[in-house]
Amino acid sequence: PAPKRGEIVRQIGDALRQKIKVLGSLVSLEMGKIFVEGVGEVQEYVDVCDYAVGLSRMIGGPILPSERPGHALIEQWNPVGLVGVITAFNFPVAVYGWNSAIAMICGNVCLWKGAPTTSLVSVAVTKIIAKVLEDNKLPGAICSLVCGGADIGTAMARDERMDLLSFTGSTKVGKQVALMVQERFGRSLLELGGNNAIIVFEDADLNLVIPSALFAAVGTAGQRCTTARRLFLHESIHDEVVAKLAKAYAQVRIGDPWDSDTLYGPLHTKEAVKMFLDAVEQAKQQGGSVVCGGKVINRPGNYVEPTIVTGLPHNAPIVHTETFAPILYVLKFKEEEEVFAWNNEVKQGLSSSIFTKDLGRIFRWLGPKGSDCGIVNVNIPTSGAEIGGAFGGEKHTGGGRESGSDSWKLYMRRST
């Protein structure tokens, strides 16, 4: 029964709590994010477990008025069965946690394929879950793990036994997954790329803007799907904000992710470093000026300088390309209407943010003519999400929703 499933998930949350520091440390070691972010990611899984426990007593379908005398019309939710979860390197714990905790209380079993470059984290998490299941006289295989590359992902996408496939990764690979799953009329949940913008109006509180833009662009070394990649500044404050932001960038403490003083660690792979350098070169060729950064840091590991580029047009090809690296394109605007359109003109639609004190503008931003993204922020950065709200985006971000609100319905089928 669902509440009993909730009790198992509660125990998984407790088991993760006991291992939070060592698991966070392993995330930091294998992925490269700073230790506090590694711990924060495990905390997110713990929080989702708490959320799922409550949800296990709340899965309801309506009883509707039947037009036939003496009849009842009921909507009942049932498990889909087997949920395949393919996760990315940048959040090797949390994204699986979002999916598995909700899938389990819905009555499903899981098959997880983590990123090949973070397989130690996948194994560690699976061992923690398996012990809880086995202590409750349940098979550990309820949450199975498979390690491998794209060939395994393809096999999962094509397998008829996979009732739902949740995929987190690039838009390019997500499109292939979607086509393979759709070909067999399977169900997919896609969490793909983001090309997220922060818009700063002339009335914004710059004491909020500078740390927010810095955190959104530089956090996790620019390797979040919600990283801020475009910063639109009203022309009247453009130069002031760029100067303040460059000063803030110069103070970012770069170093070993395990060191508690470090705010910014390495990129995940050597390929990411090459992508970073290529993007900086393209930005220069398309008319951009590098205000700060733009180079590889001379030290062991995949370290690059956090980078600010100005002077590009809003529709430059590189500005419309999601580079999974800490490059922020700073762009000028005049009017609200044009900048809302520029926010929406990229293919992705994940996260977005404005900084303003104008209430009318805030409601226009949240409304049908405002941001077309799944996550629409006001006076906070683009990166970061709350587990109580459905996480995901529109357009080439895939349209999927995970974690809070009514996203549990994606892990179930409805019988009327």
Side-chain angles (χ1 to χ4, degrees), residues 198-210 231-234 236-237 240-241 244 333 354-358 361 379:
I198 294 176
I199 302 170
V200 184
F201 287 91
E202 64 275 26
D203 63 343
D205 179 348
L206 295 190
N207 293 325
L208 280 179
V209 170
I210 303 304
L231 177 61
F232 291 108
L233 301 174
H234 189 267
S236 64
I237 53 166
E240 182 190 354
V241 173
K244 284 184 166 166
F333 76 92
I354 61 165
F355 284 79
T356 184
K357 296 190 183 99
D358 182 331
R361 178 182 285 141
N379 294 330

Side-chain angles (χ1 to χ4, degrees), residues 201-269:
F201 287 91
E202 64 275 26
D203 63 343
D205 179 348
L206 295 190
N207 293 325
L208 280 179
V209 170
I210 303 304
S212 296
L214 178 79
F215 170 71
V218 169
T220 327
Q223 298 169 112
R224 288 175 176 233
C225 49
T226 51
T227 292
R229 311 205 180 275
R230 300 176 294 150
L231 177 61
F232 291 108
L233 301 174
H234 189 267
E235 56 184 12
S236 64
I237 53 166
H238 177 276
D239 295 355
E240 182 190 354
V241 173
V242 170
K244 284 184 166 166
L245 201 53
K247 197 174 162 193
Y249 266 55
Q251 292 164 15
V252 172
R253 295 189 299 277
I254 300 169
D256 183 335
W258 269 3
D259 186 332
S260 59
D261 281 342
T262 301
L263 288 175
Y264 173 95
L267 290 176
H268 186 56
T269 58

Side-chain angles (χ1 to χ4, degrees), residues 123 162 195 225 305 333 350 401 408:
V123 170
M162 204 71 61
N195 191 346
C225 49
E305 294 173 344
F333 76 92
L350 180 53
R401 291 295 185 277
W408 59 270

Side-chain angles (χ1 to χ4, degrees), residues 39-360:
V39 171
E41 190 181 332
V42 183
Q43 183 63 49
E44 214 167 301
Y45 191 171
V46 170
D47 292 345
V48 171
C49 286
D50 286 352
Y51 175 82
V53 176
L55 192 59
S56 71
R57 293 181 181 270
M58 293 167 63
I59 295 170
I63 299 176
L64 301 159
S66 172
E67 63 184 41
R68 290 171 285 196
H71 285 67
L73 187 60
I74 298 172
E75 283 189 358
Q76 161 104 6
W77 291 91
N78 293 309
V80 291
L82 174 59
V83 175
V85 186
I86 300 177
T87 60
F89 73 85
N90 59 336
F91 282 86
V93 173
V95 174
Y96 178 63
W98 291 358
N99 280 277
S100 63
I102 306 290
M104 286 174 81
I105 62 108
C106 290
N108 301 300
V109 295
C110 298
L111 176 62
W112 179 23
K113 186 190 102 63
T117 50
T118 53
S119 48
L120 292 178
V121 171
S122 303
V123 170
V125 169
T126 300
K127 286 197 172 225
I128 291 167
I129 298 169
K131 183 173 189 317
V132 172
L133 288 165
E134 283 157 8
D135 286 350
N136 284 276
K137 310 259 184 305
L138 291 165
I142 284 170
C143 288
S144 293
L145 172 72
V146 57
C147 292
D151 54 335
I152 306 288
T154 302
M156 288 171 73
R158 290 201 167 127
D159 199 312
E160 297 256 348
R161 295 169 297 180
M162 204 71 61
D163 298 294
L164 168 68
L165 186 63
S166 173
F167 174 85
T168 302
S170 70
T171 297
K172 187 179 157 209
V173 178
K175 194 175 186 180
Q176 295 167 350
V177 168
L179 289 169
M180 285 186 263
V181 174
Q182 185 56 47
E183 201 169 37
R184 60 176 178 83
F185 289 109
R187 286 165 66 164
S188 61
L189 193 171
L190 302 171
E191 293 289 352
L192 311 175
N195 191 346
N196 314 297
I198 294 176
I199 302 170
V200 184
F201 287 91
E202 64 275 26
D203 63 343
D205 179 348
L206 295 190
N207 293 325
L208 280 179
V209 170
I210 303 304
S212 296
L214 178 79
F215 170 71
V218 169
T220 327
Q223 298 169 112
R224 288 175 176 233
C225 49
T226 51
T227 292
R229 311 205 180 275
R230 300 176 294 150
L231 177 61
F232 291 108
L233 301 174
H234 189 267
E235 56 184 12
S236 64
I237 53 166
H238 177 276
D239 295 355
E240 182 190 354
V241 173
V242 170
K244 284 184 166 166
L245 201 53
K247 197 174 162 193
Y249 266 55
Q251 292 164 15
V252 172
R253 295 189 299 277
I254 300 169
D256 183 335
W258 269 3
D259 186 332
S260 59
D261 281 342
T262 301
L263 288 175
Y264 173 95
L267 290 176
H268 186 56
T269 58
K270 293 204 167 16
E271 291 76 41
V273 176
K274 186 183 178 309
M275 280 191 328
F276 165 83
L277 289 171
D278 288 350
V280 170
E281 199 45 52
Q282 284 176 52
K284 286 182 191 164
Q285 284 168 10
Q286 289 168 29
S289 308
V290 176
V291 174
C292 62
K295 297 193 280 295
V296 172
I297 299 170
N298 184 19
R299 57 172 292 161
N302 306 314
Y303 286 85
V304 301
E305 294 173 344
T307 302
I308 299 173
V309 178
T310 58
L312 284 164
H314 65 92
N315 55 356
I318 193 64
V319 174
H320 280 224
T321 305
E322 182 194 19
T323 304
F324 227 55
I327 305 171
L328 183 65
Y329 304 111
V330 181
L331 312 143
K332 262 186 210 179
F333 76 92
K334 284 189 174 75
E335 304 292 335
E336 176 190 304
E337 203 175 321
E338 69 174 1
V339 78
F340 282 8
W342 294 351
N343 175 76
N344 296 349
E345 73 183 356
V346 296
K347 293 243 193 284
Q348 305 88 343
L350 180 53
S351 189
S352 55
S353 187
I354 61 165
F355 284 79
T356 184
K357 296 190 183 99
D358 182 331
L359 266 178

